């Protein structure tokens, strides 16, 4: 979660403009704002995407950084769910600014959210749009020697989302973990000032040999290795 500054944005936004209703670029995919029960629809797709993510992560120890996992989830799992439901994928944002309530005069009034699902396409904080769903993500990879600080960061995400629950229709704090030979997905749901369990998944990790190689190498050694991925090498030879 990174901070940005957007004071005075309302002065620059034509609030009476209706870009969704005009122009050749109009999208015929469904918008969450038009659904009779958008929360139930999203949570069904979200749960299915997380369930399909679990075996993917179990087989792939090389998703080390939080952003690696977020991008895997969105593009390989969440987007296909949206497409199957004929929902506009333009409602999904990664690392986009959202409004928050500053806790002190020194804090800024916006942060970069890990994942946002907007109620319609072409939505941004700069247009004063309120996220339909906001997701904050923490990842404890096989390389993490001490996971306690990331567990605390996950708890801070829960508290932050709860403190700002009126600025999103629903929010989720996610923690993915690959430790001790297992992969876990833990997800808390935050809405209307209430925190509840949304989903917990766990399965045995695979690809243990590659996990051992990734987890034991120092960072510089890992990043400076020559290209040895058999898939990449094969594609270059074609």
């Amino acid at each position: 979660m990174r901070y940005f500054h957007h004071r005075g944005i309302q002065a620059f936004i034509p609030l009476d403009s209706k870009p969704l209703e005009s122009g050749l670029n109009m999208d015929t995919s469904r918008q969450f704002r038009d659904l009779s029960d958008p929360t139930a629809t999203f949570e069904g797709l979200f749960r299915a995407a997380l369930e399909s993510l679990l075996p993917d992560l179990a087989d792939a120890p090389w998703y080390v950084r939080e952003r690696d996992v977020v991008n895997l989830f969105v593009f390989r799992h969440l987007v296909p769910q949206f497409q199957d439901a004929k929902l506009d994928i333009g409602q999904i944002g990664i690392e986009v600014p959202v409004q928050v309530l500053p806790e002190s005069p020194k804090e800024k009034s916006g942060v970069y959210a890990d994942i946002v699902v907007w109620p319609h396409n072409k939505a941004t904080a700069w247009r004063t749009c309120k996220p339909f769903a906001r997701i904050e993500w923490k990842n404890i990879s096989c390389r993490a020697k001490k996971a306690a600080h990331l567990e605390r960061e996950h708890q801070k995400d829960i508290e932050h989302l709860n403190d700002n629950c009126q600025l999103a229709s629903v929010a989720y704090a996610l923690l993915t973990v690959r430790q001790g030979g297992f992969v876990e997905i833990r997800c808390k749901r935050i809405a209307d000032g209430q925190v509840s369990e949304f989903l917990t998944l766990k399965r045995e990790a695979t690809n243990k040999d590659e996990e051992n190689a990734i987890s034991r190498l120092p960072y510089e050694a890992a990043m400076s290795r020559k290209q040895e991925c058999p898939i990449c090498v094969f594609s270059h030879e074609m």
Side-chain angles (χ1 to χ4, degrees):
M1 201 161 51
R2 297 181 294 111
Y3 287 87
F4 83 109
H5 180 68
H6 72 293
R7 288 181 181 172
I9 62 173
Q10 294 186 17
F12 300 96
I13 299 170
L15 297 179
D16 58 346
S17 64
K18 298 180 180 179
L20 288 173
E21 300 175 5
S22 63
L24 297 175
N25 197 34
M26 187 171 64
D27 198 315
T28 57
S29 298
R30 297 194 298 166
Q31 313 294 311
F32 278 104
R33 67 170 190 175
D34 298 328
L35 302 183
S36 59
D37 193 344
T39 302
T41 298
F42 173 73
E43 291 194 333
L45 302 177
F46 185 44
R47 184 181 298 273
L50 289 172
E51 288 172 349
S52 66
L53 172 68
L54 182 67
D56 228 2
L57 286 180
D59 190 50
W62 48 83
Y63 285 93
V64 170
R65 299 300 187 199
E66 171 191 307
R67 291 178 183 177
D68 295 335
V69 180
V70 166
N71 278 272
L72 172 69
F73 171 71
V74 169
F75 293 112
R76 185 169 166 85
H77 299 277
L78 189 60
V79 164
Q81 291 289 334
F82 271 52
Q83 291 172 326
D84 288 346
K86 294 182 170 54
L87 283 162
D88 189 346
I89 63 172
Q91 297 171 104
I92 304 173
I94 300 175
E95 282 278 313
V96 294
V98 296
Q99 185 183 5
V100 294
L101 300 173
E103 296 183 7
S104 72
K106 293 183 179 180
E107 291 190 358
K108 295 179 180 179
S109 52
V111 300
Y112 286 91
D114 291 331
I115 303 172
V116 167
V117 177
W118 298 103
H120 58 82
N121 64 11
K122 299 182 182 177
T124 74
W126 298 97
R127 200 184 176 205
T128 68
C129 298
K130 172 184 173 179
F132 166 62
R134 178 181 168 192
I135 303 167
E136 292 300 328
W137 204 299
K138 293 294 180 286
N139 183 55
I140 301 174
S141 77
C142 61
R143 287 182 57 83
K145 306 304 179 188
K146 296 181 180 179
H149 73 288
L150 288 167
E151 296 270 8
R152 288 193 297 269
E153 290 299 312
H154 172 59
Q155 185 59 40
K156 287 180 182 178
D157 282 346
I158 296 170
E159 294 167 2
H160 168 81
L161 292 171
N162 199 31
D163 289 342
N164 291 274
C165 63
Q166 67 267 50
L167 296 176
S169 299
V170 63
Y172 307 87
L174 262 156
L175 180 68
T176 43
V177 183
R178 187 183 180 107
Q179 295 273 291
F182 288 88
V183 172
E184 294 180 72
I185 299 177
R186 307 177 206 163
C187 183
K188 297 289 188 180
R189 182 184 192 271
I190 301 97
D192 301 320
Q194 300 293 319
V195 179
S196 60
E197 190 77 27
F198 180 73
L199 174 144
T200 300
L201 301 169
K202 185 175 181 178
R203 70 179 290 165
E204 187 174 359
T206 56
N207 243 331
K208 300 288 183 66
D209 289 343
E210 190 140 9
E211 176 180 328
N212 289 336
I214 291 170
S215 61
R216 293 173 182 173
L217 281 174
Y219 177 78
E220 289 300 330
M223 290 294 100
S224 60
R225 289 179 297 170
K226 68 177 183 178
Q227 186 181 37
E228 294 179 337
C229 170
I231 301 173
C232 293
V233 171
F234 177 76
S235 64
H236 287 174
E237 291 175 351
M238 292 182 67

